[in-house]
């Protein structure tokens, strides 16, 4: 069932070291599955994640970049990673700062590719 697949992928993303919050979001901004460690406006977060990724993809296309599918927003102690996961979904993850950020991004990239193949 789709809900079970989504929940399983959210758990896999959540299990990546350094991830403190994550969501599987439809390309039109609806949160399909999530784990948040804080209160936030979930519909707004989903809509913003989809808009940020779509805007980055559009800007990349405008200047001829190929395969732009990831946006990273870096803060002092954490970052937000928004990554395409196939035609229908994207992954949004909050990653705490430190040495594990690069490894977390690589692991999430592999999971996003798996999501894109399965869903």
């Amino acid at each position: 069932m789709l809900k079970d697949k989504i929940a399983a992928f959210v758990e896999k993303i959540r299990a990546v070291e350094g991830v403190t919050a994550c969501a599987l979001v439809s390309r039109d901004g609806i949160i399909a599955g999530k784990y948040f460690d804080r209160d936030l406006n979930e519909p707004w977060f989903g809509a913003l994640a989809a808009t940020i990724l779509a805007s980055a993809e559009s800007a990349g296309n405008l200047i001829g970049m190929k395969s732009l599918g990831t946006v990273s927003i870096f803060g002092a102690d954490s970052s937000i990673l928004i990554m395409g996961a196939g035609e229908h979904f994207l992954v949004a993850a909050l990653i705490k700062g430190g040495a594990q950020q690069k490894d977390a991004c690589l692991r999430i990239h592999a999971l996003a590719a798996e999501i894109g193949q399965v869903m």
Side-chain angles (χ1 to χ4, degrees):
M1 182 165 206
L2 184 60
K3 279 188 170 191
D4 294 334
K5 285 182 184 179
I6 290 169
F9 278 119
V10 168
E11 284 304 312
K12 286 181 181 181
I13 297 164
R14 182 179 172 201
V16 172
E17 187 175 348
V19 171
T20 60
C22 63
L24 189 58
V25 182
S26 70
R27 289 281 182 156
D28 58 354
I30 298 169
I31 293 181
K34 66 182 178 346
Y35 167 76
F36 293 124
D37 64 341
R38 64 200 71 207
D39 289 329
L40 56 94
N41 184 325
E42 295 173 13
W44 188 239
F45 180 81
L48 286 173
T51 300
I52 290 166
L53 185 59
S55 296
E57 289 172 337
S58 293
N61 286 335
L62 192 65
I63 61 171
M65 290 178 75
K66 302 280 187 217
S67 300
L68 182 71
T70 304
V71 175
S72 296
I73 303 167
F74 294 98
D77 61 351
S78 61
S79 64
I80 300 172
L81 178 69
I82 304 168
M83 181 178 296
E87 291 181 33
H88 305 290
F89 292 99
L90 61 92
V91 173
L94 180 61
I95 304 169
K96 64 183 171 186
Q100 72 273 17
Q101 277 188 319
K102 186 174 182 179
D103 290 337
C105 290
L106 292 172
R107 299 237 358 250
I108 294 168
H109 188 287
L111 288 168
E114 185 180 346
I115 291 167
Q117 291 175 349
V118 172
M119 301 174 66

